[in-house]
Amino acid sequence: MSGAGEFVIYHNPACGTSRNVLAAIREAGIEPRVVKYLETPPSRAELEALIAAMGIPVRDLLRRQGTPFAELGLDDPALTDAALIDAMMAHPILINRPIVVSPRGVKLCRPSQAVADLLP
């Protein structure tokens, strides 16, 4: 995920929220490591670690709009966390963004103002 003290953003440059969060981090004087997760998706272990660090249910990390969410039937409450993670691994566009890793914690920064909790 990140070295001690390092900021990392799992970023999609096509996403306005992701661009706003990256700009806010840079405006705070921090140059984060930018992971374009659609080009370089996290490994399963990294994704599981991010979810655990955020303390959110796996389902809360699923992106619904502009993804194969509906076609894959991911709204089925019977699907296990493992099945949902399998879907995110097969289709990284399903991973909601931006995820920010910081010395203050890990957070899905939607809305973009949520990044303020992670900045010094």
Side-chain angles (χ1 to χ4, degrees):
M1 272 186 334
S2 158
E6 181 182 22
F7 270 77
V8 180
I9 181 171
Y10 289 82
H11 178 60
N12 178 351
C15 170
T17 300
S18 199
R19 289 192 308 269
N20 290 341
V21 168
L22 179 57
I25 294 169
R26 288 179 169 156
E27 285 168 14
I30 299 161
E31 185 53 44
R33 181 165 60 90
V34 177
V35 176
K36 294 180 182 175
Y37 74 96
L38 294 177
E39 297 171 14
T40 310
S43 69
R44 184 181 193 93
E46 288 170 326
L47 185 59
E48 289 171 344
L50 287 167
I51 293 166
M54 286 186 283
I56 63 172
V58 172
R59 196 168 289 280
D60 287 0
L61 191 59
L62 282 170
R63 181 166 177 78
R64 290 157 175 78
Q65 293 182 336
T67 73
F69 178 87
E71 301 91 86
L72 295 172
L74 298 177
D75 57 346
D76 181 348
L79 289 173
T80 65
D81 287 352
L84 297 174
I85 291 172
D86 288 344
M88 286 187 262
M89 296 307 304
H91 306 278
I93 191 71
L94 288 166
I95 302 170
N96 213 341
R97 76 277 178 159
I99 299 170
V100 177
V101 179
S102 78
R104 291 188 174 182
V106 181
K107 192 169 199 166
L108 174 60
C109 292
R110 295 191 79 78
S112 56
Q113 297 85 345
V115 74
D117 296 339
L118 301 176
L119 298 174

